[in-house]
Structure formats: structure tokens, C-alpha cells
């Protein structure tokens, strides 16, 4: 059995974003039931319901733990059922929460060598003592045994973190371990968590085809969404994300992959699929997709 909990469903900045005065964010602040607030993207998974593995340490991880009974301490004065944290990249909204986990509670940290290099390069992360929390480099496509489950990181098309951009083409899409997806299996079912993806490739199509669950990048509804809304000057492609809609969008890319359950995660506050009463939400649901929310639980 595989248990998955969505700890956070939103992209960087969360929903509502702290400095956004846009209508959707104000609806979330007001408690509108059609616009529930969401924290920044992360999931937890377990094979036995006792030991849990967190994927991506969001800046909201303290709130997420306090809102999730499965992740709260159960023994002694201090403890945690979190056995490990697995990172799919080194963006701020993926690694910043590690600093919240610095209270000398042992767990394992897994990521590609490229992601660990970004963490190692910043001395503030030494607050997470290496004597207590082991840092383990995972080779791409190499299986990792986590209790009754097997997990593996694989290269996903993406880009280096924003703070690490440099050179003549800082937003170049690469498939070298800077951005990864995570495959989880118990031997019977296959689940994927891919919160960032710049494009669909033949290799990725073959990997996820026929999966029991795919949780996939739903950052923007359309590529120029933030420009149209006056929220920024970057397209989704420039940020390393596919669009949900349109030709070459996520819905189109998954239309013939026979995935049993498809869930959008890492959803930007500008994306109208966050709103239960939007026509865009109606469209994604009619196309067989769920929109993740904090506290969503899935058992396979």
C-alpha cells in the first residue's frame, strides 16, 4: 500500500501570496470556500502509515506539520515520524523549510548531487547539523529503499534555480538532475510526483504511461498568464514550467497516456484552476484531472 498526503498544493509564494492584492488572493484571505488557501508545494508518503517521507521542504513546513496529524510527534518529549526528506530541486520554495527542521531531530536528506551542491554552498544550511541529518546524493534512476517502498529520482526537463542563473542563457532547459521527478512504488502500484517540468519529452511519456498516480506541474494556466495579469514579465517557459492548457500543454500531453489518476500540484496564485467556480476548473475536471488541495489524501 502507498499512502500520499498533499502538504501543500501551491507554487512559490503560496495562495494567497503575501503581497498580492489580486482578486483570487483576496478571496482566499476572506475565507471564500471556493478559493481555499494553499501552502507551498510538498507531499508526504508512507508505506506503513508510521514512517513518513517528505518530498520538498517548503517554507511552510512548520504549518504543514502542525496541520497533519500523521507528521506530528507521538513519542517522548521530542520525536518525529518523518524518516526522510527528498528534494526534487533546489529552488527556494523547495529547500527553505530545511532551516525549520534544524532542532537536532535525526532524519535523512536525499537529493541529486547538483541539488546538494547548492545546499552545501550556502553556510546557513549548516544549521541543519550534518551529524544529525545525513546528506545523501542519489544517482538518477537508482532505486532507494524506504521501508516497504522503493523510490527513485529521474531527470525532468527544467532549469537551474533562479538565484543560480548565470551565463549567456541562464534559463536554458536542461535534463541533468537540476530538476527531477520522483517515482514511488510498493511493487504493485506506481506513483509520480513532478512539481516542475519545462516540457514533455518522449522519455517522460514512456516513464509515466499507465501509472496509477501522477501529480504534475500545474503552475500556470497559460504561458503568458502573469504578463496578461500585470503580475510579472516572465512566461511559464522562462520559469521552466509547462502550461496546463493549450497546444503542448499538460492536458494535451497526458491525453493518451492512460494514467489512472492525474492531479495538478504546484499551482501559482494567478492560475484560475485554484478557484472551484472558475470555467478553467470545470475544464480540467472534465478532462479527468483533480486539483490538489492541502490535506488531500490518496491511498493506492
Amino acid at each position: 500500500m502507498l499512502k500520499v498526503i498533499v502538504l501543500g498544493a501551491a507554487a512559490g509564494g503560496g495562495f494567497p501570496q503575501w503581497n498580492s492584492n489580486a482578486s483570487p488572493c483576496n478571496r482566499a484571505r476572506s475565507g471564500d470556500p471556493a478559493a481555499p488557501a494553499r501552502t507551498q508545494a510538498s507531499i508526504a508518503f508512507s508505506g506503513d502509515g508510521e514512517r513518513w517521507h517528505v518530498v520538498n521542504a517548503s517554507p511552510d513546513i512548520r504549518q504543514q506539520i502542525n496541520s497533519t496529524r500523521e507528521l506530528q510527534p507521538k513519542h517522548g518529549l521530542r520525536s518525529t515520524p518523518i524518516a526522510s526528506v527528498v528534494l526534487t530541486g533546489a529552488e527556494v520554495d523547495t529547500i527553505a523549510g530545511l532551516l525549520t527542521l534544524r532542532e537536532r531531530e535525526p532524519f535523512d536528506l536525499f537529493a541529486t548531487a547538483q541539488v546538494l551542491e547548492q545546499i552545501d554552498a550556502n553556510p546557513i544550511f549548516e544549521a541543519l547539523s550534518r551529524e544529525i541529518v545525513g546528506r545523501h546524493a542519489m544517482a538518477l534512476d537508482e532505486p532507494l529503499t524506504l521501508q516497504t517502498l522503493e523510490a527513485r529520482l529521474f531527470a525532468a526537463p527544467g532549469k537551474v534555480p533562479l538565484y543560480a542563473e548565470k551565463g549567456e542563457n541562464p534559463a536554458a532547459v536542461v535534463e541533468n538532475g537540476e530538476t527531477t521527478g520522483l517515482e514511488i512504488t510498493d511493487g504493485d502500484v506506481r506513483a509520480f510526483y513532478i512539481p516542475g517540468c519545462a516540457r514533455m519529452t518522449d522519455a517522460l511519456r514512456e516513464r509515466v504511461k499507465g501509472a496509477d498516480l501522477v501529480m504534475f506541474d500545474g503552475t500556470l494556466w497559460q504561458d503568458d498568464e502573469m504578463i496578461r495579469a500585470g503580475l510579472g514579465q516572465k512566461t511559464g517557459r522562462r520559469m521552466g514550467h509547462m502550461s496546463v492548457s493549450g497546444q503542448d500543454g499538460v492536458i494535451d500531453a497526458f491525453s493518451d497516456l492512460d494514467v489512472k489518476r492525474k492531479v495538478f500540484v504546484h499551482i501559482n496564485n494567478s492560475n484560475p484552476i485554484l478557484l472551484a467556480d472558475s470555467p478553467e476548473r470545470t475544464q480540467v475536471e472534465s478532462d479527468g484531472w483533480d486539483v490538489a488541495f492541502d490535506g488531500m489524501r490518496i491511498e493506492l
Side-chain angles (χ1 to χ4, degrees):
M1 177 178 288
L2 172 60
K3 299 173 181 283
V4 180
I5 303 173
V6 176
L7 304 180
F15 181 64
Q17 184 169 298
W18 69 278
N19 65 338
S20 174
N21 194 36
S23 175
C25 286
N26 284 328
R27 288 180 63 180
R29 287 191 187 96
S30 72
D32 186 334
R38 290 166 167 87
T39 58
Q40 293 168 88
S42 175
I43 64 168
F45 67 90
S46 175
D48 60 12
E50 297 295 328
R51 301 294 284 165
W52 289 85
H53 310 280
V54 171
V55 187
N56 295 338
S58 131
D60 301 316
I61 195 167
R62 177 182 175 276
Q63 177 182 344
Q64 292 167 345
I65 292 171
N66 286 336
S67 300
T68 308
R69 64 183 184 280
E70 291 91 340
L71 302 188
Q72 295 166 7
K74 296 175 177 61
H75 308 289
L77 292 177
R78 290 189 177 183
S79 65
T80 181
I82 298 173
S84 71
V85 174
V86 183
L87 304 176
T88 65
E91 291 285 0
V92 171
D93 55 316
T94 302
I95 65 174
L98 292 173
L99 298 176
T100 300
L101 303 179
R102 68 188 183 278
E103 280 87 8
R104 301 188 67 80
E105 199 65 51
F107 62 89
D108 289 301
L109 178 64
F110 297 102
T112 63
Q114 294 94 319
V115 170
L116 290 180
E117 284 173 7
Q118 297 286 2
I119 295 172
D120 291 345
N122 191 327
I124 195 171
F125 287 104
E126 297 306 318
L128 193 69
S129 172
R130 294 173 188 254
E131 297 177 0
I132 305 297
V133 177
R135 302 182 185 185
H136 309 284
M138 288 179 65
L140 294 175
D141 293 304
E142 187 170 292
L144 170 68
T145 299
L146 298 171
Q147 281 80 49
T148 61
L149 303 173
E150 183 178 278
R152 66 184 70 213
L153 291 172
F154 58 89
K159 55 179 285 297
V160 300
L162 178 63
Y163 60 82
E165 289 184 358
K166 58 185 177 182
E168 294 182 1
N169 190 7
V173 174
V174 295
E175 280 187 83
N176 61 1
E178 293 281 359
T179 300
T180 62
L182 182 69
E183 179 179 0
I184 312 160
T185 182
D186 67 353
D188 293 318
V189 297
R190 292 188 305 136
F192 291 86
Y193 184 67
I194 311 171
C197 186
R199 63 187 175 217
M200 179 61 75
T201 63
D202 290 341
L204 184 56
R205 287 174 59 86
E206 286 303 310
R207 187 182 292 270
V208 303
K209 193 172 184 178
D212 297 278
L213 170 68
V214 176
M215 311 184 84
F216 199 84
D217 184 351
T219 304
L220 299 179
W221 174 253
Q222 56 189 11
D223 189 53
D224 61 350
E225 176 177 306
M226 296 186 69
I227 298 173
R228 286 174 179 245
L231 299 173
Q233 296 303 311
K234 292 181 180 178
T235 63
R237 290 187 182 91
R238 173 62 179 83
M239 295 185 290
H241 298 285
M242 295 176 67
S243 300
V244 168
S245 66
Q247 187 176 10
D248 298 325
V250 178
I251 293 174
D252 182 61
F254 273 82
S255 62
D256 61 350
L257 295 184
D258 194 31
V259 174
K260 294 179 178 63
R261 187 164 186 186
K262 300 171 290 187
V263 182
F264 281 119
V265 294
H266 196 273
I267 308 160
N268 195 59
N269 65 85
S270 61
N271 191 333
I273 69 172
L274 286 172
L275 306 175
D277 55 3
S278 69
E280 291 84 359
R281 170 70 75 85
T282 300
Q283 181 176 334
V284 298
E285 290 177 345
S286 69
D287 285 315
W289 286 81
D290 293 325
V291 176
F293 56 88
D294 292 20
M296 184 182 196
R297 285 167 168 79
I298 300 172
E299 290 192 11
L300 300 172

